[in-house]
Amino acid sequence: MSSSSIHFSLSFKEPQAHYVEIEMDIDHFEEKFIDLKMPVWTPGSYLVREFARHIEGFEASADGLPVHFEKLAKNTWRVENPHERLKIRYRVYGFEISVRTNFIDADHAFISPAGTFLYPDGHLEHPSTIQINLPEKWKQVSTGLPKSATGELHYSADNFDILFDSPIEIGNQDIWHFDAANVAHEFAMVGGGSYNKQQLSADIQKIVEEETRIWGENPNTNYVFITHNYQSGGGGLEHINSTVLGASRNAYKIDAAYKNFLSLVAHEYFHLWNVKRLRPKALGPFDYDQENYTEGLWIMEGFTAYYDNLIIRRCGFFSAKEYLNALANEFNLVYNRAGHRVQSAAQASFDTWIKQYRPDENSINSSISYYNKGAILAVALDIHIIAGTEGTKRLDDVLRAAYNLFYKKEQRGFEEHEFQQLAEQVTGLDLAEIFEAAHHTEELDYNRFFAAVGYELIDLNKDSHDLSLGIRYQEQEGRIFVKNVERGSAAWDAGLNVNDELIAINGSRLDVAGKEMEFMLEQAKEDDIIDILIARDGRIRTIHSPLRRNNKQLWSIQPKSDASSTVKALGKIWLSISE
């Protein structure tokens, strides 16, 4: 097999129609036949997306003559091997705006490799080369893949895991470079925007250097930021030496939006260590044919969701108050979702394949996000470690030790109990309560942890007497429809359904602006029974529903006035307050 080779060539004959043409040359493979597969999912985005559905015009040939093939499964083509250069041709359609899927139009192409490149079954470790043929008006290529010596727009991947983890942006993106933590960084902006290159470079340099300090080293020599700017956009996906970000093109000059973008950068860059290298056992080597289950995403994504805003605070972009408000919002997102009483953080991690990326009208009642829940478990760990070690250790030290042990020394993924054992060894503390909480729906007494560093969680809505039905509704073409019914709410118990059309309340027709609903809630009293006239599947009926106090919480994290000077000093360590 030493003389075998795999080479891909990408062309764009009809980019305006959203197609990329791929040629795959396979040379000197010994098998009688080769099973070519396309992944059904892409690392970092835990959903079976069935990328093979976008393949068209599959052909196989050798020396210009057709080679027999048959399709064995949804993502598998079996091709007879002529034991010489085998050429595979196919087209891929790409027109889905996201950080994880192909998007091709007349202006540019974003290539998500897992949805583009086939691989020979049993040969994920095989290297490959990639040649990109630019349309006449396109001039730039941005990717974390190293350039190959065979040509200017030729790239190489040591194996298919690296290829599938290296997105490619092709077009006329705005490219600039900067160094941070002794690593060369490229920024590729697509779609224009109000960004300031110098400010972005300087601010992101601070983020990179702070994260490198946390982990003890930066494992890359180069890193690429690919940012797609839209009228309204967001999201990100981490890769081994690059990331793809979504942003709103005109939001860079808005202070809050700009800080949110920096937080997104901090989040995806943190994954360079946390998940791309330090990882649960299930997340590598990957099985690209099916789901790869783990209960550990509350650590990988949740801890990262905790650190993103904390790093923005450490770099000085957030004031302490701004950071505490951002952290309090994680509690709002968990506690104001009835699903937190139904699904644990570990369950949410395991079921990400069927729940996280497939929300429906009942998701708020049946599930939580391992991002938000993991973040509040992470803050409990961090401040517990700070308080328990009198400020000599914190969660940073645990992550750095885990990276050095599992990734660098033992070169393997970890089991959760191993991670917990190491954390307890590093800190000298019993952390079982917090790790166990990830597997249960009962909430920790977070104020017990916050008090140890001089802060407390306060529900600003605790004494509110506002009333609520417990529904979310939406106007559609001049009509009002129920979109969510919260578990345990008045509407839930009364039998109001999603997709019910709301017509009138207590004999007064509802207006699309919601004024009648607001007036009714302001004038009514708790436990009043109201008559709601609805249309359900075209049939008119009346629902009799009680009114109850609005159970929505509004959390704030505030300093404790009675905290001792010693405890306050620990809080300053936590929040990087120097004064």
Side-chain angles (χ1 to χ4, degrees), residues 5 59 77 83 89 121 163 254 315 327 348 351 357 473 557:
S5 65
E59 297 178 355
W77 290 258
H83 300 288
R89 291 187 177 93
D121 190 23
L163 178 58
I254 302 171
C315 292
L327 179 59
D351 282 343
Y357 296 95
Y473 53 91
I557 303 173

Side-chain angles (χ1 to χ4, degrees), residues 142-403:
S142 296
T143 181
L145 290 170
K147 287 191 174 182
S148 169
T150 57
E152 181 181 357
L153 294 178
H154 290 215
Y155 301 86
S156 64
D158 287 346
N159 54 59
F160 277 91
D161 287 319
I162 290 176
L163 178 58
F164 293 148
D165 211 15
S166 302
I168 306 170
E169 176 63 35
I170 308 168
N172 295 305
Q173 59 270 27
D174 185 11
I175 295 176
W176 72 93
H177 300 86
F178 62 90
D179 290 336
N182 297 316
V183 174
H185 289 76
E186 175 180 314
F187 221 95
M189 279 288 196
V190 183
S194 59
Y195 53 88
N196 180 302
K197 296 181 187 180
Q198 289 73 28
Q199 181 182 2
L200 265 178
S201 297
D203 291 346
I204 293 174
Q205 182 179 31
K206 293 179 182 178
I207 293 170
V208 169
E209 291 177 351
E210 172 59 20
E211 294 191 1
T212 302
R213 185 196 65 78
I214 291 170
W215 292 93
E217 68 172 16
N218 197 310
N220 285 324
T221 57
N222 65 287
Y223 191 92
V224 179
F225 293 94
I226 299 171
T227 301
H228 294 138
N229 292 306
Y230 307 104
Q231 185 174 18
S232 178
L237 187 63
E238 71 277 2
H239 297 281
I240 195 165
N241 68 339
S242 62
T243 186
V244 184
L245 309 172
S248 299
R249 66 171 59 92
N250 294 318
Y252 292 96
K253 293 185 178 180
I254 302 171
D255 185 63
Y258 181 65
K259 290 175 181 177
N260 285 339
F261 179 74
L262 292 180
S263 179
L264 175 63
V265 169
H267 183 103
E268 302 305 336
Y269 203 88
F270 201 80
H271 277 314
L272 187 159
W273 297 271
N274 198 39
V275 89
K276 285 290 117 185
R277 289 164 175 86
L278 174 64
R279 59 173 178 78
K281 279 187 176 179
L283 296 185
F286 294 123
D287 182 344
Y288 293 103
D289 267 348
Q290 60 187 344
E291 298 86 346
N292 292 223
Y293 292 104
T294 175
E295 291 186 337
L297 292 178
W298 71 273
I299 296 176
M300 313 320 297
E301 289 292 357
F303 283 25
T304 305
Y306 168 60
Y307 269 96
D308 52 22
N309 284 326
L310 186 64
I311 287 162
I312 298 307
R313 165 61 197 147
R314 291 184 186 179
C315 292
F317 304 123
F318 273 160
S319 67
K321 184 177 181 180
E322 286 176 313
Y323 169 68
L324 292 174
N325 288 341
L327 179 59
N329 192 50
E330 302 285 5
F331 286 87
N332 289 330
L333 291 171
V334 172
Y335 288 154
N336 286 322
R337 189 177 175 106
H340 84 92
R341 301 184 187 92
V342 176
Q343 187 182 54
S344 71
Q347 289 170 333
S349 301
F350 192 86
D351 282 343
T352 183
W353 297 93
I354 56 175
K355 289 183 178 288
Q356 175 71 19
Y357 296 95
R358 285 180 174 158
D360 58 32
E361 71 281 352
N362 197 47
S363 293
I364 61 168
N365 296 314
S366 61
S367 64
I368 54 106
S369 167
Y370 47 78
Y371 287 82
N372 310 130
K373 187 62 179 290
I376 67 176
L377 290 167
V379 69
L381 274 172
D382 196 17
I383 58 183
H384 182 56
I385 294 169
I386 292 170
T389 63
E390 298 181 343
T392 62
K393 302 283 186 183
R394 65 180 308 168
L395 191 53
D396 296 24
D397 300 281
V398 173
L399 292 178
R400 185 163 52 251
Y403 172 80

Side-chain angles (χ1 to χ4, degrees), residues 114-134:
T116 304
F117 298 108
L118 298 170
Y119 70 93
D121 190 23
H123 297 286
L124 281 170
E125 80 290 347
H126 201 289
S128 60
T129 55
I130 304 93
Q131 175 184 342
I132 298 174
N133 302 301
L134 295 178

